[in-house]
Amino acid sequence: MSTQMPEGRISSGGPWEDRYGYARAVVAGPHVLVSGCTATVGGEVQHVGDAYQQTLTAFSIALDAVEKAGITRADVVRTRLYVVNAGDFDAVGKAHGEIFGDVRPVCTSVQVAGLVDERMLVEVEVEGYRPVERGTHED
């Protein structure tokens, strides 16, 4: 048996995808690459002033794309955290740990000068990997 993942691009329907010409996620063979996600839902930034809740919301959006790509949270191998305020790293890290503590993907955290909307405190990226299973054959 082989496990097939959908190939191609996945859209979340977000307003910027069409405007700026990108996909929420791309599936390329065993790789699932998810674009940066913020706590923007329905065009509105959620949890203004709360980096912890924004991180949970952003990862929820990213993991929805992961699932649409045919993999799970357990298949996430890399995360990236872009945080505006250095003082929020602990709150952002706490949220990351609650979501991925048992998965333990590699993680990069970077302080940035700002994001597209000044109310956004964090943006996250996710990469997943699951090798495509090949049928076994005997010699």
Side-chain angles (χ1 to χ4, degrees), residues 68-82:
K68 287 179 181 174
I71 64 173
T72 70
R73 178 182 63 86
D75 298 308
V76 171
V77 296
R78 175 185 297 271
T79 59
R80 292 182 185 93
L81 309 169
Y82 303 98

Side-chain angles (χ1 to χ4, degrees), residues 40-105:
T40 303
V41 177
E44 289 298 320
V45 177
Q46 306 296 301
H47 312 294
V48 174
D50 188 335
Y52 170 79
Q53 288 296 330
Q54 283 195 11
T55 304
L56 293 177
T57 300
F59 274 124
S60 174
I61 294 165
L63 290 173
D64 181 60
V66 162
E67 290 175 8
K68 287 179 181 174
I71 64 173
T72 70
R73 178 182 63 86
D75 298 308
V76 171
V77 296
R78 175 185 297 271
T79 59
R80 292 182 185 93
L81 309 169
Y82 303 98
V83 182
V84 174
N85 302 312
D88 288 335
F89 274 113
D90 192 53
V92 171
K94 178 182 176 192
H96 185 277
E98 289 174 6
I99 297 166
F100 294 108
D102 60 332
V103 176
R104 303 252 187 214

Side-chain angles (χ1 to χ4, degrees), residues 7-57:
E7 289 283 333
R9 275 110 179 105
I10 296 168
S11 174
S12 68
W16 297 306
E17 291 172 33
D18 284 338
R19 183 184 297 166
Y20 300 135
Y22 71 93
R24 170 58 55 213
V26 173
V27 179
H31 303 277
V32 176
L33 309 171
V34 181
S35 293
C37 299
T38 64
T40 303
V41 177
E44 289 298 320
V45 177
Q46 306 296 301
H47 312 294
V48 174
D50 188 335
Y52 170 79
Q53 288 296 330
Q54 283 195 11
T55 304
L56 293 177
T57 300

